Amino acid sequence: MTTTHYRACNLCEAICGLEIKVDANTIVSIKPDKADPFSRGHICPKGVALQDLQNDPDRVRQPLRRTAAGWEEISWDAAFELVASRLAAITQEHGDDAVAAYFGNPNVHNYGSLTHASTFLGHIKTRNRFSATSVDQLPHQLAALKLYGHQLMVPIPDIDRTQYFLALGYNPMASNGSLMTVPDFPGRLKALQARGGRLVVIDPRRSETAQVADEYHPIRPAQDAALMLALIHVLFAEGLVAQLPAYIIGLDAVREAVSAFTPEQVAPACGIGAGDIRRIAREFATAESAVCHARMGCSTQLYGGLCLWAANALNILSGNLDRPGGAMFTQPAVDMVESPTSKPGAFGRWHSRVSELPEFSGELPAVCMTEEMATPGAGQIRALVTSAGNPVLSTPDGRALEAQLEKLEFMVAIDLYLNETTRHADVVLPPTTTLEHDHYDLIFNSFAVRNVTRYNAPVLPKPEGSYHDWEIFQQLGAHYARHIGRPVRPMPRPDQIIDMGLQMGRYGKAAGHPAALSLEALKAQPHGVDLGPLQPCLPARLQTPEKQVNLADAFYLDDIARVEAQLQNAAPAGDALLLIGRRHVRSNNSWMHNAQRLVKGKPRDQLLMHPADLHKRGLVDGAQVSVRSRTGSVQVAVVASEDMMPGVVSLPHGWGHDRAGVRMEIAVRHAGVSANDLTDARLLDPLSGNAAVNGVPVQVEAA
């Protein structure tokens, strides 16, 4: 008998509602959930491909142990004991810092990992923790911590009510939104334009979003901070700064700090005319409502930290912070900002051993992971734990990291695949799939463009003898604690934690809200619950000690001098080009390339290059070219594209599946090349420690 299930897709940030039909534990169809009040019947190809991931014959289903003869399946008990005993021996001989952990992006799409990873890693007091955060959104969270007092107080564009949307380094037509949970971005954009609003896109490439924008301007990579400082300069110079509430402080210091950033001074470096810069600033400041959203192209560059401060400052100074149609704060049903157990985050409490890069919320920047493995001495990384991560393809200079993984004393991977990273592990522990466990969007409900909530029940039964990821962490923690003689504290299940959060939250049963939310109440609402549009909440929601927003933090203002110093030398030297990444709606980092539905069609792993740059080098459209950087080289087909800004080339992130030992047949057939064989661990934003994977100098010549 066919049964129908409703849940949100958790493969990307949009969390679109799905209708999944199942017969005899086999998926019959996946369609959009037209009754979902948030996604409103929108779906992208990734949601349909969930069945490919579920049924993938290459997926690891039993624990694997590496032997001299190859991989062999072992029991779960044997695997837990092997991992715990080896890690305990290493920490007892070399200290806790000898074990490192790397968590990939899928962990934030899986609430069991978020709630229970500490049941294992909490016993290993290592400072060598890394994640995809520092090759992605760390500057956003750092700005939230510095300005608003909590790393998760990230302002969200109120897209459904704004009249002027300024997007920098951002392609939501492909990404479905990023640090902005916005299902059906195309539909919401059409509604914005239908009510007379405007979308203005600033990007080195005429992206899919730029193609449907009302206005588009190409910008040289890593010049976004200079542009935003010039926009702020115009607000001050022309008296366009709004009448701001008393809790916003530091305006005079900001005015002085941006005084040199006239549009005329900035225009030659960024490639946007001074007249356009002035006009954009005026239109932004005088719009009925406006919001600036700076994303991947801004956060993953040399000035990522300052970029995100400037984007916040532009919203604040124009009067668009905490205002309908501006940059607002989601108030989720399970609120990790105002929870009594909330940790606001921290910065710079310690630094990495070799390059002295700053810690952020208990993690070191991923760019220093390789050198921490390679450099002898106390604290050298000798063992690694990865969870749903593939840093060989997703962090800078992946080949150098790969070489160090081969030298580790021990490695364990919690993962569904033998990929470019996990093939180096000694033990692989496969969790259940997303359709085999329940889910609650802890993170993405916190970044949603409306206040929404939804509990996602399992679609398929848990296979006999399998473990959910949170159970794997729990078992590893118990075994490890026994080896080092530590007690194990019992912890509630993830769903029990969510139930407590719902009931005690602002919409909760215990709080007396009319919605009377609890887990039981959500289970009775399988399409999800809409809790209304974003609402003004400042200064009450601020987590800073004085309930103030200090725009003049010297941490940021002192970094402005670094931007000013490079304005005269912004163009790449000699024949160098600047490399940027790009996103496709059928892809999400490195882990979805083994689904035929997502890789079929025209190849999309080529290098994009402006025809003038091809002609200058005697190259032709479709030729094989060699792309070289300081760290490595790749050979790839080049495609002539008028969408590229001259002097800039684009190669997508996440490919490069041709390594020996990778057990992902479809991905290997569509191997492509890894952009992170070209990116450079030495290129980073020194303010935040975030990797600069956009704006990498490269040379391109005939292969």
Side-chain angles (χ1 to χ4, degrees), residues 50-65:
L50 272 170
Q51 55 195 304
D52 294 347
L53 299 173
Q54 173 66 32
N55 300 326
D56 192 343
D58 292 331
R59 180 162 62 87
V60 180
R61 298 168 190 268
Q62 291 291 325
L64 297 178
R65 176 176 63 184

Side-chain angles (χ1 to χ4, degrees), residues 358-443:
E359 158 268 352
F360 175 74
S361 292
E363 296 179 357
L364 290 171
V367 292
C368 68
M369 185 161 51
T370 299
E371 66 185 16
E372 291 295 333
M373 294 178 181
T375 306
Q380 179 185 7
I381 296 172
R382 299 170 182 271
L384 177 65
V385 178
T386 66
S387 174
N390 191 1
V392 166
L393 294 192
S394 53
T395 63
D397 198 0
R399 293 287 183 181
L401 173 61
E402 195 169 36
Q404 293 305 315
L405 294 181
E406 295 177 355
K407 301 176 183 179
L408 291 174
E409 294 181 24
F410 187 74
M411 177 178 167
V412 56
I414 302 167
D415 209 289
L416 296 172
Y417 288 105
L418 284 174
N419 61 29
E420 295 73 22
T421 297
T422 63
R423 68 195 178 105
H424 296 284
D426 296 280
V427 177
V428 178
L429 305 174
T432 54
T433 68
T434 184
L435 297 181
E436 294 167 350
H437 61 73
D438 66 345
H439 181 63
Y440 185 87
D441 281 293
L442 267 173
I443 297 297

Side-chain angles (χ1 to χ4, degrees), residues 577-580 582 604-610 614 619 621-623 625-627 634-641 644 648-652 673 678 698-701:
L577 298 158
L578 295 179
L579 176 69
I580 63 171
R582 67 179 185 271
R604 55 180 187 271
D605 56 342
Q606 308 102 322
L607 183 78
L608 299 187
M609 192 173 187
H610 193 275
L614 284 170
L619 301 172
D621 182 27
V625 296
S626 173
V627 187
V634 299
Q635 290 193 5
V636 64
V638 66
V639 173
S641 174
M644 293 304 304
V648 184
V649 293
S650 174
L651 190 65
V673 298
L678 299 169
V698 296
Q699 301 283 341
V700 179
E701 57 193 22

Side-chain angles (χ1 to χ4, degrees), residues 242-301:
Q243 189 71 31
L244 299 177
Y247 65 80
I248 306 291
I249 63 172
L251 272 65
D252 290 341
V254 175
R255 180 198 301 268
E256 176 64 25
V258 302
S259 60
F261 286 83
T262 65
E264 289 74 18
Q265 179 77 2
V266 167
C270 70
I272 300 175
D276 283 326
I277 295 174
R278 291 187 186 279
R279 177 180 55 79
I280 291 170
R282 292 166 183 158
E283 291 175 351
F284 189 89
T286 59
E288 180 183 340
S289 59
V291 64
C292 172
H293 195 49
R295 193 49 196 106
M296 280 295 286
C298 292
S299 63
T300 56
Q301 57 153 284

Side-chain angles (χ1 to χ4, degrees), residues 58 79 116 128 130 171 183 199 242 281 326 371 375 453 473 500 566 587 589 602-603 624 637 645 669 679:
D58 292 331
H116 279 67
N128 283 315
F130 309 90
N171 187 14
L199 170 66
E371 66 185 16
T375 306
T453 186
F473 286 123
M500 288 186 284
Q566 60 84 44
S587 186
N589 301 324
K602 295 180 180 179
Q624 284 289 119
M645 185 180 191
R669 291 205 310 263
T679 54

Side-chain angles (χ1 to χ4, degrees), residues 45-122:
K46 290 192 287 293
V48 179
L50 272 170
Q51 55 195 304
D52 294 347
L53 299 173
Q54 173 66 32
N55 300 326
D56 192 343
D58 292 331
R59 180 162 62 87
V60 180
R61 298 168 190 268
Q62 291 291 325
L64 297 178
R65 176 176 63 184
R66 177 188 298 280
T67 72
W71 294 102
E72 71 171 13
E73 292 187 357
I74 58 175
S75 71
W76 280 101
D77 285 342
F80 292 140
E81 183 60 24
L82 174 58
V83 171
S85 62
R86 294 288 288 116
L87 293 180
I90 289 170
T91 57
Q92 287 168 354
E93 181 177 356
H94 301 289
D96 282 345
D97 289 343
V99 176
Y102 178 88
F103 276 60
N105 172 270
N107 287 280
V108 296
H109 298 259
N110 192 336
Y111 87 130
S113 179
L114 292 174
T115 59
H116 279 67
S118 62
T119 61
F120 171 43
L121 293 178

Side-chain angles (χ1 to χ4, degrees), residues 503-556:
Q503 294 200 47
M504 301 304 295
R506 62 174 49 82
Y507 312 99
K509 182 177 179 180
H513 190 276
L517 289 184
S518 65
L519 191 61
E520 182 182 11
L522 277 192
K523 287 179 178 180
Q525 300 285 339
H527 304 287
V529 178
D530 181 87
L531 297 165
L534 307 185
Q535 299 291 336
C537 59
L538 300 186
R541 191 168 168 79
L542 289 174
Q543 304 297 304
T544 52
E546 303 83 11
K547 294 286 184 179
Q548 292 179 325
V549 176
N550 180 16
L551 274 177
D553 191 328
F555 177 78
Y556 288 112

Side-chain angles (χ1 to χ4, degrees), residues 317 499 598:
L317 294 168
D499 188 31
L598 298 182

